[in-house]
Amino acid sequence: MSLERIDLLDNIFESFLQGSRIFKNRDVLRHDFIPAYLPHREEQAQRIGGILAPVLRGSKPSNIFIYGKTGTGKTAVVKYVLDKLVRKSREVHVSVEVCYVNCRIAGTDYRVLSQLCGSIGLHIPFTGLAVGEVFDRFKEALESKRIPLITVLDEVDALIKARGDAVLYELTRINENLKFGRVSILGISNDLRFKELLDPRVLSSLSEEEVVFRPYSAPELRDILQQRSKLAFLDGALVGGIINLCSALAAAEHGDARRALDLLRVAGELAERDGERYVKEEHVRQAQEKIEQDRVVEVLNTLPLHSKLVLCGVYLMKKANLNGSITGDVFEVYKELCDQLGVEVLTQRRVSGLINELDIMGVITARVVSFGRYGRTKKVSLGVSRSVIRDVFIDDNWVGRLLNYAPKCLKTKSS
DNA sequence: CGTCCACAGGAATGACGGGCGG
DNA sequence: CCGCCCGTCATTCCTGTGGACG
């Protein structure tokens, strides 16, 4: 792992060639860019550094558990510290291996393990082996290499929620079976309630040390943006107030630095597109909308057919002034839509699951309500504007033609 | 205060396409 | 090429439940 070093001069030339009047180097605003200094995270960096330091003298550092919401700098700080650690270890000729895995992106136990194996130079086939087998190979390789390994499991909560804590359990126990290898685990979680899902044994082992990342406050975000904008924008392209606005907007949204940086970058891009010399407030407002819209469009486009049909059902119900419909009704409409397309109908259980997935993606809102005597169900309503859905679905070969369909089952009732 | 609706949502299981070792 | 295991998506069966109604 290494910090991304970007050739600043090269970027200036590049921007000049492209005639940008706004950006010096927009890559600095990307959230995977790690600056040389992380404002307002000195404390966390020092703590993590301090906990990991013993590895330089050959002993196993404690496992660390790190929490904090998205965009609070967890990943950046960890990468930053590990980068320094690796450099130092080379300096003093101590071997340390570091492996960073994003569990949400890896997705499964198997792929997490295979990445861990890869980091110690052990090639594991993409698929085809039993998880236990991979684990044995991993242990064997660790034993023979005798190098301490620091594993970072980013977004580990996503893995546990989807797969259970079996892998984590095995990993925490791994040192007991090894004579020479030493493995430290650094778990990063976005979800504060995540601890409750863990086996107490795993929890106590994993959180020998805990580090909490609080959300950034508006002034802190401002400092971050200030620092980056010096590298990212040409002089004079940012008038005062823009940074304040971006940090205020992002602070309102859980103090998410990622969001703040996105806002600033997109606002800059919009200003650039307008041929302006500097970013205006309205660009930031537009950026706010554009980010959200792009996200939704992306989500809608990649939805599988049946999810689209369910969503289309909710869309039609809203169109018929039946917003806040319940699971059973959505299912009825969905069945009709399947019928129209000659597609097989999924079970209500499955559709209920799809509704939850759509809810998590933020395209609809579904919350459980109880009508007492008249049952307990989910109230479902559209979470995005109808026009966005229409714009995306109209081009869809399957769903497009359903946008004007009037479901029969809606005619018999009214809201 | 118990009943009972209309589901929620967990668990077990299966079908399927894909990839690997042998 | 076979047999095995993978992950994904779905079905089936199931137990659980908030609260208005009686």
Side-chain angles (χ1 to χ4, degrees):
Chain A
M1 187 184 318
S2 72
L3 294 186
E4 278 131 282
R5 301 281 171 201
I6 290 170
D7 188 333
L8 293 175
L9 197 56
D10 197 46
N11 268 284
I12 292 174
F13 294 154
E14 198 60 37
S15 296
F16 185 79
L17 283 174
Q18 286 163 7
S20 174
R21 294 165 157 189
I22 301 287
F23 289 113
K24 205 188 293 178
N25 174 13
R26 81 183 67 192
D27 290 344
V28 174
L29 298 174
R30 292 164 44 115
H31 30 248
D32 52 356
F33 174 83
I34 298 176
Y37 171 68
L38 295 161
H40 304 291
R41 286 296 179 247
E42 299 86 354
E43 192 192 323
Q44 284 81 358
Q46 278 174 21
R47 266 211 63 203
I48 296 172
I51 296 166
L52 294 180
V55 81
L56 293 172
R57 283 206 314 269
S59 43
K60 175 194 168 311
S62 300
N63 294 333
I64 314 178
F65 198 27
I66 297 174
Y67 322 82
K69 294 196 173 171
T70 46
T72 49
K74 304 179 297 294
T75 306
V77 167
V78 166
K79 284 190 170 176
Y80 172 84
V81 171
L82 289 179
D83 182 74
K84 295 265 180 197
L85 184 73
V86 169
R87 282 161 197 266
K88 194 69 184 174
S89 74
R90 293 213 191 100
E91 209 176 298
V92 298
H93 305 291
V94 174
S95 36
V96 178
E97 281 294 339
V98 162
C99 178
Y100 173 88
V101 183
N102 184 310
C103 299
R104 188 179 49 79
I105 292 172
T108 65
D109 293 357
Y110 186 92
R111 289 202 284 254
V112 169
L113 271 178
S114 106
Q115 274 196 43
L116 290 181
C117 291
S119 74
I120 54 171
L122 175 64
H123 176 73
I124 290 295
F126 247 95
T127 174
L129 265 56
V131 176
E133 169 66 19
V134 178
F135 208 82
D136 288 344
R137 290 194 195 183
F138 179 58
K139 281 195 285 197
E140 205 174 294
L142 275 177
E143 191 78 86
S144 63
K145 297 222 172 196
R146 305 190 179 187
I147 293 177
L149 177 68
I150 299 177
T151 62
V152 181
L153 303 177
D154 202 351
E155 303 192 53
V156 65
D157 48 326
L159 185 72
I160 271 61
K161 278 175 197 157
R163 310 279 152 179
D165 54 9
V167 177
L168 218 46
Y169 179 67
E170 293 294 337
L171 276 175
T172 53
R173 283 178 31 109
I174 204 164
N175 291 310
E176 298 167 20
N177 306 321
L178 291 179
K179 287 197 192 75
F180 301 107
R182 291 178 298 280
V183 181
S184 301
I185 304 169
L186 222 153
I188 304 180
S189 165
N190 296 318
D191 188 350
L192 305 175
R193 296 167 307 142
F194 160 73
K195 275 168 123 182
E196 298 161 15
L197 301 173
L198 282 179
D199 184 319
R201 286 169 300 181
V202 178
L203 180 62
S204 68
S205 164
L206 188 61
S207 50
E208 290 169 344
E209 299 280 353
E210 291 190 12
V211 180
V212 178
F213 282 63
R214 300 258 156 255
Y216 291 109
S217 66
E220 288 169 346
L221 287 172
R222 200 188 53 218
D223 290 341
I224 294 171
L225 294 186
Q226 210 108 50
Q227 175 207 34
R228 303 274 184 113
S229 62
K230 278 181 199 146
L231 300 172
F233 288 90
L234 292 170
D235 291 342
L238 269 193
V239 292
I242 295 300
I243 286 184
N244 285 340
L245 180 57
C246 288
S247 28
L249 288 173
E253 222 165 312
H254 337 113
D256 184 344
R258 191 174 301 182
R259 185 58 186 261
L261 290 166
D262 281 343
L263 268 175
L264 202 54
R265 178 176 51 79
V266 174
E269 285 166 0
L270 289 171
E272 189 170 53
R273 193 200 294 166
D274 290 353
E276 299 280 356
R277 286 180 179 277
Y278 56 91
V279 182
K280 295 177 175 173
E281 278 201 15
E282 70 176 270
H283 293 132
V284 178
R285 310 267 179 211
Q286 285 172 22
Q288 175 109 310
E289 272 178 45
K290 186 173 187 300
I291 289 169
E292 174 60 14
Q293 179 134 339
D294 286 355
R295 206 206 96 230
V296 171
V297 169
E298 168 69 17
V299 165
L300 294 188
N301 272 318
T302 54
L303 241 34
L305 176 63
H306 286 280
S307 297
K308 282 183 180 171
L309 289 176
V310 171
L311 179 57
C312 192
V314 180
Y315 166 89
L316 292 174
M317 294 172 93
K318 168 145 189 188
K319 199 174 166 191
N321 267 327
L322 249 152
N323 213 4
S325 25
I326 62 168
T327 306
D329 296 343
V330 174
F331 183 62
E332 289 305 315
V333 178
Y334 157 82
K335 271 200 292 194
E336 266 190 59
L337 296 181
C338 287
D339 224 44
Q340 286 293 309
L341 297 181
V343 174
E344 87 288 21
V345 181
L346 300 181
T347 50
Q348 180 159 343
R349 175 70 186 88
R350 182 61 189 138
V351 169
S352 168
L354 293 181
I355 289 175
N356 285 341
E357 288 173 23
L358 290 170
D359 177 43
I360 290 168
M361 290 184 277
V363 263
I364 64 175
T365 342
R367 55 177 238 284
V368 287
V369 289
S370 177
F371 298 122
R373 183 70 249 259
Y374 304 105
R376 192 164 166 273
T377 178
K378 273 199 293 268
K379 259 206 162 160
V380 181
S381 57
L382 224 45
V384 295
S385 78
R386 265 170 54 202
S387 58
V388 178
I389 293 188
R390 199 183 166 78
D391 289 348
V392 176
F393 280 3
I394 199 94
D395 297 325
D396 188 289
N397 285 337
W398 287 84
V399 190
R401 71 183 98 134
L402 295 173
L403 289 170
N404 291 317
Y405 177 74
K408 295 184 194 90
C409 60
L410 294 185
K411 289 180 180 163
T412 50
K413 56 181 99 181
S414 63
S415 62

